[in-house]
Amino acid sequence: MTDWSQTHILNNLRRCTRCTLPETHETIVFDEEGVCNICRQHEFKKTNIDWEKKKVELNELADNYRGKGAYDCIVPFSGGKDSTFTLWYIIKKLNLKPLVVSFDHGFYRPINLENNERTQRKLGVDFLKLRSDWKIVRKLMLESLDRKGDFDWHAHVGTFAYPMQIAVKFQTPLVFWGEPSSEYTAYYGYDSEEEVDERRNSRLNNLGITAEDMVGFLGDEVTLRDLQPYVYPKLKDLQDLKVRSVPLGSYIPWNVKEQYEIIKKELDWKGIRVEGVPPQFPYEKTEYQLQGPRDYLKFIKRGYARVTHLTSIEIWNNRMTRDEAVDLIEKYEGKRPSSLVYLLKILGIDENDWKKIAITHSIPPYQHDFLNEETEDPLPDMEQWEHNPC
Ligand SMILES: [Zn+2]
């Protein structure tokens, strides 16, 4: 018998009886046992996918593109655990020569830059980075926070559009991403092919706002020329190039814990504390200064954040019980991050404005209580961040 009372612990949201994802999670549906569709997708991943066959397909894909142009493929790269593992795998296991492409959103942490330097030297790669205009970034952040309750439009969109622009410019038709979205949402199941194309981009990354839309929103202040890093390439250019843009995780079973052990050993990759992340996950989102505020904003809107996500992954991989997950969520999730002050300076708003905007984007039935919040200790490297927003 299902114990339904267990599904309503943690701020009264209905939660999956197997993992802890709540009813406010995007694309979630519960079946008659109270188990969510993301859990069912993971069952499918474990039992119905012939990973040996997928690996053969991956090797065929690599064979088809190896040695044809200046580069065999593009690897979009932030230097976080996923793109670092992907780059290592592409070079060491698939023997491909990549062009490593990075969109710099302006908020990389010092440890990330050190990791990148080490990774690139150890692997020996050509590396291309574009840092977008800081003044434009600040405008985009406030506009997207106001409209969508998400200040990261520029990071989401630049990260996906810029490597595709480079694929077209260098006429390199193969683009390798890392983690498949079917790990944690149901936009694409493990039973369907996931191409990282414009359709996926508008479902998962751009919050339904293209660069062209954004120019309209910002009025006379900016033109499309100012937003070049955010413009997705023309469909015709991508079709002419016959571009294949795929997550590596569609071909090999994605196992973050194992992959972290590999990059630690092979590349001396290092993690660091992230706000709202328990110490058992030293590899999670270590690259981004604003990860704490990003997850906190998600919590204000939806009543859950990264600990729920991380512990669900542990449950799917049989490494944690649901009760252990609930303990970690209660202990670490939803605190006010110290770095919020840093973000507010960049946005040019105060904390009351922040609360007002965040609350208008709430997903019912969740209602956030600002009164009983705890604030997290500052991060060890915060002093080194650029504190002058100008
Ligand atoms: Zn579930």
Side-chain angles (χ1 to χ4, degrees):
M1 271 266 307
T2 309
D3 179 2
W4 291 100
S5 64
Q6 281 295 306
T7 69
H8 282 83
I9 43 178
L10 303 167
N11 62 28
N12 293 324
L13 293 175
R14 179 178 178 192
R15 295 197 182 235
C16 171
T17 51
R18 187 175 297 170
C19 69
T20 57
L21 286 175
E23 58 191 315
T24 50
H25 182 73
E26 266 180 296
T27 71
I28 204 163
V29 183
F30 301 105
D31 64 18
E32 59 285 352
E33 292 172 52
V35 176
C36 78
N37 48 337
I38 321 293
C39 276
R40 297 297 185 204
Q41 234 163 245
H42 280 268
E43 273 174 18
F44 188 90
K45 175 188 171 187
K46 273 188 208 150
T47 53
N48 290 34
I49 297 181
D50 183 348
W51 288 108
E52 284 305 313
K53 189 168 149 242
K54 289 273 176 194
K55 205 163 186 180
V56 172
E57 283 173 29
L58 176 62
N59 285 321
E60 283 170 3
L61 184 71
D63 290 345
N64 283 338
Y65 289 89
R66 195 179 297 107
K68 300 275 166 69
Y71 298 101
D72 299 330
C73 63
I74 303 279
V75 176
F77 186 78
S78 67
K81 65 179 190 318
D82 294 316
S83 59
T84 301
F85 172 77
T86 301
L87 183 60
W88 175 83
Y89 192 95
I90 295 295
I91 292 173
K92 295 293 183 187
K93 298 288 175 183
L94 296 180
N95 193 24
L96 292 172
K97 181 194 175 197
L99 173 59
V100 181
V101 178
S102 178
F103 171 78
D104 183 347
H105 42 54
F107 298 99
Y108 282 126
R109 291 177 73 178
I111 194 158
N112 180 255
L113 300 173
E114 288 163 23
N115 279 333
N116 289 0
E117 200 62 37
R118 216 180 299 112
T119 296
Q120 286 161 23
R121 286 184 182 208
K122 278 184 188 267
L123 290 174
V125 288
D126 288 354
F127 176 57
L128 186 61
K129 174 154 97 169
L130 180 112
R131 178 177 296 148
S132 59
D133 178 336
W134 176 245
K135 291 193 170 159
I136 298 290
V137 164
R138 290 185 67 197
K139 287 185 178 138
L140 292 172
M141 288 174 78
L142 187 57
E143 187 68 25
S144 86
L145 173 65
D146 204 19
R147 282 187 184 266
K148 292 287 173 177
D150 183 334
F151 54 82
D152 276 318
W153 183 89
H154 85 287
H156 303 308
V157 175
T159 300
F160 281 86
Y162 181 64
M164 298 308 285
Q165 291 180 11
I166 293 301
V168 172
K169 274 186 191 141
F170 281 81
Q171 292 291 292
T172 303
L174 182 61
V175 182
F176 264 115
W177 306 87
E179 189 182 39
S181 70
S182 34
E183 277 294 287
Y184 47 87
T185 58
Y187 286 113
Y188 297 86
Y190 270 107
D191 52 346
S192 59
E193 292 281 310
E194 179 176 358
E195 283 271 331
V196 186
D197 56 12
E198 196 170 11
R199 195 166 68 108
R200 181 188 190 272
N201 188 41
S202 61
R203 281 179 174 181
L204 291 172
N205 301 315
N206 76 359
L207 313 169
I209 301 176
T210 63
E212 289 80 357
D213 298 332
M214 200 47 110
V215 170
F217 297 155
L218 291 172
D220 296 337
E221 288 176 52
V222 300
T223 68
L224 199 55
R225 291 184 72 199
D226 298 316
L227 298 190
Q228 270 315 296
Y230 309 99
V231 177
Y232 207 75
K234 290 192 183 74
L235 187 60
K236 181 166 185 325
D237 290 342
L238 295 169
Q239 282 171 342
D240 287 350
L241 184 60
K242 296 193 174 63
V243 91
R244 291 293 315 276
S245 168
V246 293
L248 181 61
S250 292
Y251 296 95
I252 60 168
W254 209 247
N255 187 324
V256 169
K257 279 241 147 83
E258 279 175 18
Q259 290 164 199
Y260 166 58
E261 293 302 328
I262 290 172
I263 57 174
K264 201 164 69 166
K265 179 164 168 275
E266 300 291 330
L267 302 170
D268 198 17
W269 189 91
K270 293 184 171 66
I272 192 168
R273 183 166 80 83
V274 173
E275 289 164 308
V277 174
Q280 333 15 19
F281 306 94
Y283 45 78
E284 182 68 12
K285 293 288 169 193
T286 52
E287 66 273 20
Y288 191 39
Q289 292 173 348
L290 303 178
Q291 194 59 44
R294 177 191 272 182
D295 289 338
Y296 173 55
L297 181 55
K298 181 170 180 173
F299 193 89
I300 296 171
K301 295 188 304 185
R302 296 176 184 270
Y304 80 105
R306 190 151 301 270
V307 191
T308 295
H309 168 74
L310 287 168
T311 53
S312 292
I313 293 173
E314 296 304 288
I315 293 170
W316 296 325
N317 287 292
N318 301 319
R319 292 189 294 247
M320 192 178 276
T321 66
R322 196 176 182 283
D323 287 343
E324 288 164 341
V326 167
D327 287 345
L328 282 180
I329 293 166
E330 278 180 332
K331 187 160 177 209
Y332 290 97
E333 198 161 78
K335 290 184 189 166
R336 177 185 171 282
S338 285
S339 62
L340 180 64
V341 176
Y342 177 79
L343 170 66
L344 295 178
K345 233 196 297 183
I346 287 155
L347 291 171
I349 59 174
D350 66 26
E351 196 157 348
N352 278 330
D353 297 332
W354 159 266
K355 286 179 186 171
K356 267 187 230 153
I357 297 170
I359 229 63
T360 59
H361 294 281
S362 292
I363 308 293
Y366 184 67
Q367 282 183 314
H368 190 70
D369 169 16
F370 286 104
L371 288 177
N372 297 306
E373 285 181 328
E374 268 176 71
T375 294
E376 277 206 47
D377 293 336
L379 292 170
D381 56 329
M382 261 179 73
E383 288 294 308
Q384 297 167 55
W385 302 358
E386 176 54 60
H387 284 270
N388 182 5
C390 61

